[in-house]
Amino acid sequence: MNSERFWKIVKIYNNLMREAIDGPNCTDLSICHGDCCSIKIDVPKILAEEYIRRGHATTDDFIRSNIFSLHLRFNDKTGKCFLFDKKINGCSVHGSGIKPPQCWIYPTNFSIPKNEEIRCKKVSGWKIVDKEKAEKAELLLKEYITFCENEANDEILKIELVKNL
Ligand code: SF4
């Protein structure tokens, strides 16, 4: 997959998920404290470079991983991903169109049994409002994962080559 296809996938996926899911207002402090961002997320290098280019991150915000190429730095003081922004009580790349695809999945995933409203860690009211868009997004996520795994394998090979010089 080339980088053009990668960006197409990430952007279409972000749009589909934004429209497919509805739920409580996570930026309302009385509802949410960003508990779902207390996880470690992997991203491909190409996405990390774009976060740096757009000013969301610096090189110190990424740690080498063997799942995808890089981990987003976990802020031990806040117990959250470094992209969680206390001021907006939410993810600083939420509306960027290039939020890490995995982050959209919680708590609904791509389908909900019987399509009932479900709960996250704090509150109920999450639902899928457009099943078709969620299904399309699920297919795109598979392509995204394949890209990320291939990129990570290439990165490991490059590191090995440098080590053996
Ligand atoms: S990238 Fe954003 S949504 Fe995902 S864990 Fe980090 S702060 Fe939360």
Side-chain angles (χ1 to χ4, degrees), residues 59-107:
T59 47
D60 292 341
D61 291 320
F62 302 96
I63 296 138
R64 185 67 66 186
S65 171
N66 56 3
I67 303 169
F68 296 167
S69 294
L70 300 160
H71 268 322
L72 299 184
R73 178 174 58 79
F74 192 75
N75 183 337
D76 291 321
K77 283 191 193 139
T78 60
K80 294 192 197 320
C81 166
F82 83 93
L83 284 168
F84 183 84
D85 182 346
K86 213 175 159 193
K87 287 197 285 293
I88 58 169
N89 195 43
C91 175
S92 54
V93 295
H94 180 75
S96 65
I98 57 168
K99 181 175 171 175
Q102 311 93 300
C103 299
W104 285 99
I105 296 171
Y106 182 79

Side-chain angles (χ1 to χ4, degrees), residues 2-14 140:
N2 60 27
S3 61
E4 202 183 321
R5 176 70 189 155
F6 173 82
W7 289 118
K8 205 169 173 189
I9 287 173
V10 171
K11 288 172 188 171
I12 295 173
Y13 177 94
N14 266 259
L140 290 178

Side-chain angles (χ1 to χ4, degrees), residues 1 6 42-45 65-70 141-157:
M1 186 198 300
F6 173 82
D42 270 35
V43 293
K45 190 176 171 190
S65 171
N66 56 3
I67 303 169
F68 296 167
S69 294
L70 300 160
L141 185 70
K142 287 186 184 143
E143 255 193 89
Y144 170 83
I145 290 170
T146 303
F147 175 95
C148 295
E149 288 172 345
N150 289 340
E151 189 208 68
N153 287 337
D154 289 348
E155 285 290 304
I156 290 165
L157 281 178

Side-chain angles (χ1 to χ4, degrees), residues 116-164:
E116 289 163 348
E117 289 189 359
I118 57 165
R119 276 188 78 80
C120 65
K121 289 178 181 173
K122 288 280 176 194
V123 69
S124 65
W126 291 97
K127 52 188 180 283
I128 289 181
V129 289
D130 193 325
K131 207 168 151 255
E132 222 172 276
K133 286 183 178 170
E135 281 167 5
K136 280 186 190 160
E138 186 172 14
L139 292 177
L140 290 178
L141 185 70
K142 287 186 184 143
E143 255 193 89
Y144 170 83
I145 290 170
T146 303
F147 175 95
C148 295
E149 288 172 345
N150 289 340
E151 189 208 68
N153 287 337
D154 289 348
E155 285 290 304
I156 290 165
L157 281 178
K158 278 187 218 159
I159 293 165
E160 291 302 320
L161 276 175
V162 172
K163 267 195 212 158
N164 294 329

